Amino acid sequence: MAEHLILDGEGKDERYRSLIPQALALIDGETDQTAALANVGAALAMAFDWLWTGFYLVKNGELVLGPFQGPIACTRIKRGKGVCGTAWDQARTLVVPDVEAFPGHIACSSHSRSEIVVPVFNAAAEVVAVLDVDASHTEAFDETDARYLEQLAAGLGHLF
Ligand code: SME
C-alpha cells in the first residue's frame, strides 16, 4: 500500500482527479469497513483544508458517528435531522453554502460555516452511510465537490 499521496494541481478539479484514484487504491482489496473508511477520510483531509471530514453510518435507524478527522462531533443523528439526516432521508447530496441558512442544521462545531453531505449507497440502492465534510468558511463546496465526492462514495458502497 502506498504511504504517500501525490497531490497534483492547484485547482480543486485537478486535485480531486489526482486524489480519488489514490484514495480508492488505498482500500483496494480491503474488506474491513472501519479501516477503509478511516483511510479514505484521512486521504480527503490531507488533500484539502477542511474543518471536519468523516462518515456517519446508518445503524438501527439512525446515523452513528464513524471514522473522521477533525474536532469531536455529535455521535448520533436522527433521520431527517440536520444536513446529514436530511441527505440520508432524501437519498441525495446536499451542498449547504451557509449552514446558518439551513433550517435544523446541527452545529457540532461553532466553527463550521458550510457543508456538503454525500450519501453512500449499497448494492440495493439503500443509503448505508453519509460522507460529511465541513469547512470553516461559507461557500466552500459546489457542484465540483458534489461530483467528485459522489464518485468517491460510489467506490465505498461495497464495504456495507
Ligand atoms: N452539521 C451536521 C452534523 C455533523 S457535524 O457537522 C460533524 C448536520 O447538520 O447534520
Side-chain angles (χ1 to χ4, degrees):
M1 189 192 89
E3 290 177 15
H4 303 285
L5 294 176
I6 300 162
L7 298 167
D8 299 323
E10 290 300 306
K12 185 157 71 175
D13 194 88
E14 275 183 63
R15 189 151 272 238
Y16 274 117
R17 265 193 264 174
S18 154
L19 170 71
I20 287 178
Q22 294 180 78
L24 292 176
L26 274 176
I27 62 165
D28 191 31
E30 180 53 69
T31 54
D32 186 90
Q33 189 187 87
T34 303
L37 296 181
N39 248 352
V40 167
L44 280 172
M46 283 174 73
F48 294 99
D49 187 24
W50 291 329
L51 175 68
W52 198 92
T53 308
F55 296 92
Y56 280 90
L57 314 181
V58 175
K59 289 185 181 174
N60 300 322
E62 61 184 342
L63 290 173
V64 181
L65 184 62
F68 72 96
Q69 303 267 317
I72 55 172
C74 324
T75 48
R76 290 172 190 269
I77 298 173
K78 296 206 179 306
R79 187 167 186 149
K81 298 294 177 190
V83 186
C84 291
T86 304
W88 171 26
D89 196 46
Q90 298 182 357
R92 67 182 180 100
T93 297
L94 292 181
V95 176
V96 180
D98 179 355
V99 296
E100 286 175 15
F102 187 95
H105 168 256
I106 300 165
C108 288
S109 164
S110 59
H111 298 291
S112 176
R113 290 282 172 273
S114 59
E115 179 163 358
I116 183 169
V117 179
V118 178
V120 177
F121 296 93
N122 64 11
E126 298 157 337
V127 178
V128 284
V130 297
L131 167 60
D132 177 18
V133 184
D134 288 55
S136 53
H137 57 96
T138 55
E139 297 178 15
F141 307 105
D142 56 22
E143 282 312 306
T144 300
D145 300 277
R147 186 167 74 251
Y148 285 109
L149 293 177
E150 283 172 2
Q151 202 176 307
L152 184 67
L156 303 176
H158 69 282
L159 294 163
F160 292 82

